[in-house]
Amino acid sequence: MAATRQGPLAGLRVIDLGTMLAGPVACTLLADFGAEVIKVEQPGTGDTLRHIGPFLEGESLFWNVEARNKKSVTLNLKAAEGRELFLQLVRDADAVVENFRPGTLARLGLDYEALKAVNPRIVLLSISGFGQDGPYAGRAGYDRIALAFGGLMHITGFPDRPPVKSGVSIADYQTCLFGALSLMMALYHRDATPAGTGQHIDLALYESVFRFTDVLTVAYDRLGQVRERQGNIGLAGAPGEHFRTRDGRYLILTISNDAMFGRLCKAMGRDELPSMERFSSHDLRWRHIHEINAIVAAWIEGNEVSSVTAALDAHGLAYAIVLSIDEIVADPHYQARGNIETVRHPRLGELRMQGVGPKFSATPAGSIAAAPALGEHTDEILTGLGLDPVKIRMLRTAGIL
Amino acid sequence: MAATRQGPLAGLRVIDLGTMLAGPVACTLLADFGAEVIKVEQPGTGDTLRHIGPFLEGESLFWNVEARNKKSVTLNLKAAEGRELFLQLVRDADAVVENFRPGTLARLGLDYEALKAVNPRIVLLSISGFGQDGPYAGRAGYDRIALAFGGLMHITGFPDRPPVKSGVSIADYQTCLFGALSLMMALYHRDATPAGTGQHIDLALYESVFRFTDVLTVAYDRLGQVRERQGNIGLAGAPGEHFRTRDGRYLILTISNDAMFGRLCKAMGRDELPSMERFSSHDLRWRHIHEINAIVAAWIEGNEVSSVTAALDAHGLAYAIVLSIDEIVADPHYQARGNIETVRHPRLGELRMQGVGPKFSATPAGSIAAAPALGEHTDEILTGLGLDPVKIRMLRTAGIL
């Protein structure tokens, strides 16, 4: 099935030479919005992600989420003929995405200069743990290493516990977003400005983390502050915590001004609090944050979530209940927004997963195509390069495909 | 100073109508790469972010990081003349970014149809907590609410503690990345494809979170798994934890295969472990994760960080030390990569902050311009619209500017 993809990027062709997460998912984002993404994989084994669970009937669900909407072509890049076919693909492509260790592409004879020689307008996005140069360029880097080196790990978690990772690989995901954004900026420059050219983009995982550390650097530089972990407490919420209800639900509540605090006290039936000196301003409440949080915690711990939220609603206070996935799947807002889409997989049947977003009014995205089997599109793509079935069979026998 | 901006987006003009974080920082990312971003602010008060600390000499450092590279124009959009001037700006702009509550723009007479009427090619990016439609569209939504509703909060942290927030506002930052990416996709469609048009993009904070929850949905749907918090433990690392050294440093170490485990045991001087039945494969080590983690923890707790890392280095094992900001600023790799840039502020002097990245070979970004004072560019921009100094003074006196 070579259905034309729909969305704002229909017509773009991207070659995905990455493995695992940051590189490949940058491509998936573009595929979600209509780009044709050709994933080039090692014959026999394919992307590492195909071998990471959870599994359903022997197939990686992880792979099936992250590699949706792509085509798969097998090519042995260490063989001369594989390399030559790759360069033929590059000739007709708009962009190539890779996340090998720096230097690997050059050893394969496929660095930016080699790609540029066959297609001067190619955009190459290189994603790596530590970037293409600098003293640590050769180091292995994955999600948690980037969070640790990028400064976010140190400030995440409770002061009396080790720094804590996020529930998903946020360094990888921020990098794939930043990578896709970078590619689109480069392609815009190339195709929508008069003297636009191709180019090489160098993006490090840790840089995608460090870029989004708000005032961490400047507050150290000018105020001497070395930020530490502070759990769920933050300057903007006093009181503010993730409180536990009697029936064991977590409720996020942060109060940032006097009016909100007054309404909260009414909701708690504690009208006397706002007039107490030490709770009479946000700044004073912040100085007594543990005391005021304990008062709110006692109220919330003593009640079921339904009565707490009813009281907060009645007093016009914003809050959030921490949702688990069974609740998300059943939520009417998720349903109304179409956030969960069903993908029809030829062997596994229906797979429900996070849908495509955001919503584009003029160029809406199409439905999601299932992640490809290893080499599913090899014949289609190589035929498009002019190879005949006999030649393709020979290459396959020789282990090139 | 109306210096022309450098980078792949030089020539693009974006109007930033947002407040605080997700909307405005989407624009900052484009400004970093050369777009001219005109921030439209309420006369007198300006963006809320200007009033959020930490402060230096009365100026928000938060604002100075996030609003760099922009111009500031004051306009009262509730006044007819303010609205009219805004539409004149839209006439010459490529994109508008807003993150009001859904319905606010329409009440101002400035919804997508109104913008389109003066500029059919405009791209409008609307960011909101819950999206432009659906049952919760009218709810307030900020970073932690999006994390809770989007599914990431429930799975982040330790099982015996409340779900924990990240050290920075990652829902806002993922949304600003996704928003900037969406804008570039829409602008690419408009300017680089034959029948391209403007359009309206609808992006919700929680959707930027939910999009990057890997197998959360499909593993529930097909395997019945409701994922819970598991601290720093993950399937890919056995052993794997954020271990504490004798001198109090946290060290991230995850072992994902037999070869690595063998090398770790050598580093620890515990050659007997790999031959023990219960530690003889990754799967078995995962089943005894607490026991094997405790063995590694005991070794690391008994040693200084320098001797642990020396032993790991000697055996070719990847790890990460969790760095605080004082260490990051002093790190030679950060220096070599130019990750920390110095911004010259007219009043505050030199401000060091996270630099512009990734690196573009053909269209490198320029140096960072200081965040603007409120209304700093009002005269420049309105003069560009053809207003004379007398008219500008009258508008200012009338509170329109």
Side-chain angles (χ1 to χ4, degrees):
Chain A
M1 294 180 300
T4 306
R5 312 251 339 115
Q6 283 176 44
L9 305 187
L12 272 183
R13 184 182 252 201
V14 178
I15 301 179
D16 171 7
L17 204 51
T19 54
M20 280 293 288
L21 230 42
V25 178
C27 299
T28 311
L29 285 169
L30 305 183
D32 275 3
F33 291 97
E36 181 190 29
V37 173
I38 300 172
K39 184 164 187 80
V40 173
E41 299 184 82
Q42 187 66 15
T45 51
D47 193 328
T48 312
L49 200 57
R50 292 183 180 273
H51 310 288
I52 291 182
F55 296 97
L56 177 66
E57 297 178 25
E59 281 226 26
S60 163
L61 290 175
F62 210 159
W63 165 260
N64 270 282
V65 168
E66 308 292 12
R68 69 196 199 180
N69 282 329
K70 297 187 186 182
K71 295 179 176 177
S72 167
V73 169
T74 50
L75 268 187
N76 181 353
L77 297 176
K78 290 177 182 160
E81 278 193 295
R83 179 181 171 280
E84 185 46 46
L85 287 168
F86 180 77
L87 288 172
Q88 283 189 45
L89 280 177
V90 170
R91 208 163 285 152
D92 286 333
D94 295 287
V96 174
V97 177
E98 63 100 5
N99 61 349
F100 292 114
R101 287 256 200 126
T104 306
L105 268 195
R107 280 195 297 280
L108 292 169
L110 294 172
D111 63 5
Y112 174 61
E113 295 305 321
L115 307 190
K116 193 178 165 184
V118 299
N119 181 354
R121 291 177 66 76
I122 199 76
V123 175
L124 172 63
L125 168 62
S126 290
I127 294 176
S128 58
F130 289 89
Q132 300 298 309
D133 57 24
Y136 309 157
R139 287 192 189 177
Y142 49 82
D143 183 76
R144 287 201 223 187
I145 287 181
L147 292 168
F149 189 70
L152 186 54
M153 193 66 97
H154 184 78
I155 58 175
T156 300
F158 297 99
D160 62 336
R161 289 270 175 106
V164 72
K165 72 181 184 71
S166 177
V168 300
S169 299
I170 58 167
D172 282 323
Y173 288 131
Q174 284 189 194
T175 304
C176 82
L177 275 167
F178 220 163
L181 169 61
S182 304
L183 262 189
M184 289 313 304
M185 293 195 291
L187 289 169
Y188 187 87
H189 166 75
R190 187 192 75 173
D191 294 343
T193 65
T197 61
Q199 58 186 313
H200 186 193
I201 304 166
D202 168 9
L203 172 60
L205 278 179
Y206 84 91
E207 290 172 340
S208 299
V209 173
F210 183 65
R211 173 66 183 82
F212 299 104
T213 47
D214 60 59
V215 297
L216 188 67
T217 304
V218 72
Y220 169 68
D221 182 48
R222 293 301 299 269
L223 305 174
Q225 296 176 358
V226 176
R227 207 196 300 185
E228 302 292 338
R229 291 184 292 292
Q230 48 184 0
N232 290 322
I233 290 173
L235 204 61
E241 243 303 348
H242 303 179
F243 299 98
R244 195 168 187 273
T245 67
R246 190 166 72 193
D247 45 343
R249 297 308 306 261
Y250 283 104
L251 190 138
I252 295 175
L253 181 65
T254 60
I255 299 293
S256 56
N257 61 45
D258 291 343
M260 287 170 71
F261 183 63
R263 296 206 299 275
L264 172 64
C265 292
K266 279 199 180 8
M268 297 193 296
R270 295 293 298 273
D271 282 351
E272 80 283 10
L273 296 177
S275 57
M276 291 170 71
E277 169 65 21
R278 64 186 181 286
F279 301 142
S280 59
S281 73
H282 184 82
D283 186 53
L284 283 162
R285 288 189 293 275
W286 174 246
R287 290 192 219 170
H288 300 91
I289 180 71
H290 296 294
E291 190 183 351
I292 189 62
N293 271 351
I295 291 170
V296 179
W299 174 61
I300 292 179
E301 274 165 19
N303 288 280
E304 308 273 314
V305 65
S306 56
S307 53
V308 174
T309 56
L312 296 174
D313 286 338
H315 293 85
L317 288 158
Y319 59 86
I321 297 171
V322 175
L323 296 188
S324 53
I325 186 58
D326 50 333
E327 297 173 306
I328 284 173
V329 168
D331 189 275
H333 193 72
Y334 272 84
Q335 289 173 18
R337 295 278 295 172
N339 295 133
I340 297 173
E341 293 185 41
T342 299
V343 178
R344 272 162 243 287
H345 187 282
R347 286 204 320 107
L348 302 176
E350 294 190 344
L351 301 174
R352 299 176 80 199
M353 63 181 70
Q354 53 272 56
V356 174
K359 298 180 194 302
F360 283 67
S361 66
T363 54
S367 60
I368 300 175
L374 182 60
E376 182 178 335
H377 304 87
T378 304
D379 287 50
E380 170 196 326
I381 299 292
L382 293 195
T383 302
L385 292 181
L387 277 68
D388 64 32
V390 176
K391 177 70 180 170
I392 291 173
R393 201 177 322 126
M394 280 175 53
L395 288 168
R396 191 165 276 134
T397 306
I400 308 288
L401 308 182
Chain B
M1 295 181 299
T4 306
R5 312 260 329 121
Q6 282 177 45
L9 305 186
L12 271 183
R13 183 182 252 201
V14 178
I15 301 178
D16 171 6
L17 205 50
T19 54
M20 281 292 289
L21 228 43
V25 179
C27 298
T28 311
L29 285 170
L30 305 183
D32 274 3
F33 291 97
E36 180 190 30
V37 173
I38 300 173
K39 183 162 189 80
V40 173
E41 300 184 82
Q42 187 66 17
T45 52
D47 192 328
T48 313
L49 200 58
R50 292 183 180 273
H51 310 288
I52 292 182
F55 296 96
L56 177 65
E57 296 177 27
E59 282 226 26
S60 163
L61 290 176
F62 210 158
W63 165 261
N64 271 283
V65 168
E66 307 292 10
R68 69 196 199 181
N69 282 330
K70 297 187 186 182
K71 295 178 176 177
S72 167
V73 169
T74 50
L75 268 187
N76 181 354
L77 298 176
K78 290 177 181 160
E81 279 192 295
R83 179 181 171 280
E84 185 46 45
L85 287 168
F86 180 76
L87 288 172
Q88 284 189 45
L89 279 178
V90 170
R91 208 164 286 151
D92 285 333
D94 295 286
V96 174
V97 176
E98 62 102 3
N99 61 349
F100 291 114
R101 288 253 202 128
T104 305
L105 268 195
R107 280 194 297 280
L108 292 169
L110 294 172
D111 62 5
Y112 174 60
E113 295 305 321
L115 307 191
K116 194 179 164 183
V118 300
N119 181 354
R121 291 178 65 78
I122 199 77
V123 175
L124 172 64
L125 168 63
S126 290
I127 294 176
S128 58
F130 289 88
Q132 300 298 308
D133 57 24
Y136 309 157
R139 287 192 188 176
Y142 49 81
D143 182 75
R144 287 200 222 186
I145 287 180
L147 292 168
F149 188 71
L152 185 55
M153 193 67 97
H154 184 77
I155 58 175
T156 299
F158 298 99
D160 63 335
R161 289 271 175 105
V164 72
K165 72 181 184 70
S166 177
V168 300
S169 299
I170 57 167
D172 281 323
Y173 288 131
Q174 284 188 194
T175 304
C176 81
L177 275 167
F178 219 163
L181 168 61
S182 303
L183 263 189
M184 289 314 304
M185 293 195 291
L187 290 170
Y188 187 87
H189 166 76
R190 188 192 75 173
D191 294 343
T193 65
T197 61
Q199 60 186 313
H200 186 194
I201 303 167
D202 167 10
L203 172 60
L205 279 179
Y206 83 91
E207 290 172 340
S208 299
V209 173
F210 183 65
R211 174 64 183 82
F212 299 104
T213 48
D214 61 60
V215 297
L216 188 67
T217 304
V218 73
Y220 169 68
D221 182 48
R222 292 302 299 272
L223 305 174
Q225 296 176 357
V226 176
R227 207 196 300 185
E228 301 292 340
R229 292 184 292 291
Q230 49 184 0
N232 290 322
I233 290 173
L235 205 60
E241 244 303 351
H242 303 179
F243 299 99
R244 195 169 188 275
T245 67
R246 190 167 70 192
D247 45 343
R249 298 308 306 261
Y250 284 104
L251 189 139
I252 295 175
L253 181 65
T254 61
I255 300 293
S256 56
N257 62 44
D258 292 343
M260 286 170 71
F261 184 64
R263 297 206 298 275
L264 172 63
C265 292
K266 279 198 177 16
M268 297 193 296
R270 295 294 297 273
D271 281 351
E272 79 285 8
L273 296 176
S275 57
M276 291 170 71
E277 169 64 21
R278 65 186 182 287
F279 301 142
S280 59
S281 73
H282 184 82
D283 186 52
L284 284 162
R285 289 189 293 275
W286 174 246
R287 289 191 219 171
H288 299 92
I289 179 71
H290 296 295
E291 189 182 352
I292 190 61
N293 271 351
I295 291 171
V296 179
W299 173 61
I300 292 180
E301 275 166 18
N303 289 281
E304 306 274 314
V305 65
S306 55
S307 53
V308 174
T309 57
L312 295 174
D313 285 338
H315 292 85
L317 288 159
Y319 59 87
I321 297 170
V322 176
L323 296 189
S324 53
I325 186 59
D326 50 333
E327 297 173 306
I328 284 173
V329 167
D331 189 275
H333 193 72
Y334 273 84
Q335 289 172 17
R337 295 277 295 173
N339 296 132
I340 298 173
E341 293 184 40
T342 299
V343 178
R344 272 163 242 287
H345 187 282
R347 284 206 320 109
L348 302 176
E350 295 190 345
L351 301 174
R352 299 176 79 198
M353 62 181 71
Q354 53 273 55
V356 175
K359 298 182 194 301
F360 284 67
S361 66
T363 54
S367 60
I368 300 174
L374 182 59
E376 182 177 335
H377 304 88
T378 304
D379 288 49
E380 170 197 326
I381 299 292
L382 294 195
T383 302
L385 292 181
L387 277 67
D388 63 32
V390 176
K391 176 71 181 169
I392 291 173
R393 202 177 322 126
M394 280 176 54
L395 288 168
R396 191 164 277 135
T397 306
I400 309 288
L401 307 182

